[in-house]
PDB file of all heavy atoms in Angstrom:
ATOM      1  N   LEU P 155     -14.041  -1.471   1.842  1.00 95.00           N
ATOM      2  CA  LEU P 155     -13.327  -1.522   0.586  1.00 95.00           C
ATOM      3  C   LEU P 155     -13.609  -0.297  -0.226  1.00 95.00           C
ATOM      4  O   LEU P 155     -14.678  -0.045  -0.725  1.00 95.00           O
ATOM      5  CB  LEU P 155     -13.781  -2.767  -0.222  1.00 95.00           C
ATOM      6  CG  LEU P 155     -13.054  -2.986  -1.671  1.00 95.00           C
ATOM      7  CD1 LEU P 155     -11.559  -3.057  -1.472  1.00 95.00           C
ATOM      8  CD2 LEU P 155     -13.636  -4.196  -2.318  1.00 95.00           C
ATOM      9  N   LYS P 156     -12.596   0.532  -0.359  1.00 95.00           N
ATOM     10  CA  LYS P 156     -12.782   1.884  -0.925  1.00 95.00           C
ATOM     11  C   LYS P 156     -12.679   1.845  -2.500  1.00 95.00           C
ATOM     12  O   LYS P 156     -13.413   2.632  -3.146  1.00 95.00           O
ATOM     13  CB  LYS P 156     -11.731   2.832  -0.400  1.00 95.00           C
ATOM     14  CG  LYS P 156     -12.026   4.342  -0.719  1.00 95.00           C
ATOM     15  CD  LYS P 156     -13.185   4.842   0.031  1.00 95.00           C
ATOM     16  CE  LYS P 156     -13.400   6.348  -0.121  1.00 95.00           C
ATOM     17  NZ  LYS P 156     -14.479   6.909   0.521  1.00 95.00           N
ATOM     18  N   ALA P 157     -11.840   1.031  -2.993  1.00 96.00           N
ATOM     19  CA  ALA P 157     -11.677   0.931  -4.446  1.00 96.00           C
ATOM     20  C   ALA P 157     -10.967  -0.368  -4.815  1.00 96.00           C
ATOM     21  O   ALA P 157     -10.321  -1.036  -3.996  1.00 96.00           O
ATOM     22  CB  ALA P 157     -10.881   2.117  -4.934  1.00 96.00           C
ATOM     23  N   ILE P 158     -11.160  -0.745  -6.067  1.00 96.00           N
ATOM     24  CA  ILE P 158     -10.481  -1.962  -6.608  1.00 96.00           C
ATOM     25  C   ILE P 158      -9.625  -1.459  -7.804  1.00 96.00           C
ATOM     26  O   ILE P 158     -10.152  -0.817  -8.701  1.00 96.00           O
ATOM     27  CB  ILE P 158     -11.450  -3.010  -7.084  1.00 96.00           C
ATOM     28  CG1 ILE P 158     -12.381  -3.457  -5.943  1.00 96.00           C
ATOM     29  CG2 ILE P 158     -10.724  -4.188  -7.718  1.00 96.00           C
ATOM     30  CD1 ILE P 158     -13.588  -4.275  -6.395  1.00 96.00           C
ATOM     31  N   VAL P 159      -8.357  -1.789  -7.748  1.00 96.00           N
ATOM     32  CA  VAL P 159      -7.492  -1.344  -8.868  1.00 96.00           C
ATOM     33  C   VAL P 159      -7.196  -2.633  -9.728  1.00 96.00           C
ATOM     34  O   VAL P 159      -6.729  -3.575  -9.190  1.00 96.00           O
ATOM     35  CB  VAL P 159      -6.127  -0.851  -8.311  1.00 96.00           C
ATOM     36  CG1 VAL P 159      -5.164  -0.553  -9.481  1.00 96.00           C
ATOM     37  CG2 VAL P 159      -6.391   0.485  -7.525  1.00 96.00           C
ATOM     38  N   LEU P 160      -7.550  -2.484 -10.954  1.00 96.00           N
ATOM     39  CA  LEU P 160      -7.207  -3.555 -11.917  1.00 96.00           C
ATOM     40  C   LEU P 160      -5.976  -3.194 -12.662  1.00 96.00           C
ATOM     41  O   LEU P 160      -5.961  -2.388 -13.594  1.00 96.00           O
ATOM     42  CB  LEU P 160      -8.415  -3.748 -12.908  1.00 96.00           C
ATOM     43  CG  LEU P 160      -9.751  -4.122 -12.277  1.00 96.00           C
ATOM     44  CD1 LEU P 160     -10.746  -4.453 -13.378  1.00 96.00           C
ATOM     45  CD2 LEU P 160      -9.603  -5.342 -11.366  1.00 96.00           C
ATOM     46  N   ASN P 161      -4.880  -3.792 -12.230  1.00 93.00           N
ATOM     47  CA  ASN P 161      -3.559  -3.563 -12.756  1.00 93.00           C
ATOM     48  C   ASN P 161      -3.354  -4.171 -14.128  1.00 93.00           C
ATOM     49  O   ASN P 161      -3.832  -5.241 -14.427  1.00 93.00           O
ATOM     50  CB  ASN P 161      -2.546  -4.098 -11.806  1.00 93.00           C
ATOM     51  CG  ASN P 161      -1.714  -2.995 -11.103  1.00 93.00           C
ATOM     52  OD1 ASN P 161      -1.661  -1.864 -11.562  1.00 93.00           O
ATOM     53  ND2 ASN P 161      -1.133  -3.378  -9.989  1.00 93.00           N
ATOM     54  N   LYS P 162      -2.561  -3.563 -15.009  1.00 93.00           N
ATOM     55  CA  LYS P 162      -2.187  -4.097 -16.297  1.00 93.00           C
ATOM     56  C   LYS P 162      -3.387  -4.486 -17.111  1.00 93.00           C
ATOM     57  O   LYS P 162      -3.445  -5.563 -17.787  1.00 93.00           O
ATOM     58  CB  LYS P 162      -1.238  -5.324 -16.100  1.00 93.00           C
ATOM     59  CG  LYS P 162      -0.022  -4.981 -15.224  1.00 93.00           C
ATOM     60  CD  LYS P 162       0.770  -6.240 -14.935  1.00 93.00           C
ATOM     61  CE  LYS P 162       1.920  -5.961 -13.966  1.00 93.00           C
ATOM     62  NZ  LYS P 162       2.655  -7.196 -13.612  1.00 93.00           N
ATOM     63  N   TYR P 163      -4.462  -3.664 -17.041  1.00 95.00           N
ATOM     64  CA  TYR P 163      -5.692  -4.046 -17.621  1.00 95.00           C
ATOM     65  C   TYR P 163      -5.606  -4.356 -19.104  1.00 95.00           C
ATOM     66  O   TYR P 163      -6.253  -5.246 -19.612  1.00 95.00           O
ATOM     67  CB  TYR P 163      -6.681  -2.825 -17.457  1.00 95.00           C
ATOM     68  CG  TYR P 163      -8.148  -3.147 -17.787  1.00 95.00           C
ATOM     69  CD1 TYR P 163      -9.008  -3.685 -16.830  1.00 95.00           C
ATOM     70  CD2 TYR P 163      -8.625  -2.908 -19.099  1.00 95.00           C
ATOM     71  CE1 TYR P 163     -10.318  -3.972 -17.163  1.00 95.00           C
ATOM     72  CE2 TYR P 163      -9.922  -3.144 -19.367  1.00 95.00           C
ATOM     73  CZ  TYR P 163     -10.740  -3.693 -18.444  1.00 95.00           C
ATOM     74  OH  TYR P 163     -12.057  -3.992 -18.759  1.00 95.00           O
ATOM     75  N   ASN P 164      -4.685  -3.661 -19.807  1.00 94.00           N
ATOM     76  CA  ASN P 164      -4.614  -3.789 -21.244  1.00 94.00           C
ATOM     77  C   ASN P 164      -3.866  -5.029 -21.643  1.00 94.00           C
ATOM     78  O   ASN P 164      -3.758  -5.392 -22.846  1.00 94.00           O
ATOM     79  CB  ASN P 164      -3.868  -2.558 -21.826  1.00 94.00           C
ATOM     80  CG  ASN P 164      -2.468  -2.375 -21.217  1.00 94.00           C
ATOM     81  OD1 ASN P 164      -2.252  -2.654 -20.066  1.00 94.00           O
ATOM     82  ND2 ASN P 164      -1.587  -1.753 -21.984  1.00 94.00           N
TER      83      ASN P 164
END
Side-chain angles (χ1 to χ4, degrees):
L155 179 59
K156 192 70 175 180
I158 302 168
V159 174
L160 300 187
N161 249 338
K162 306 175 186 175
Y163 190 87
N164 57 330

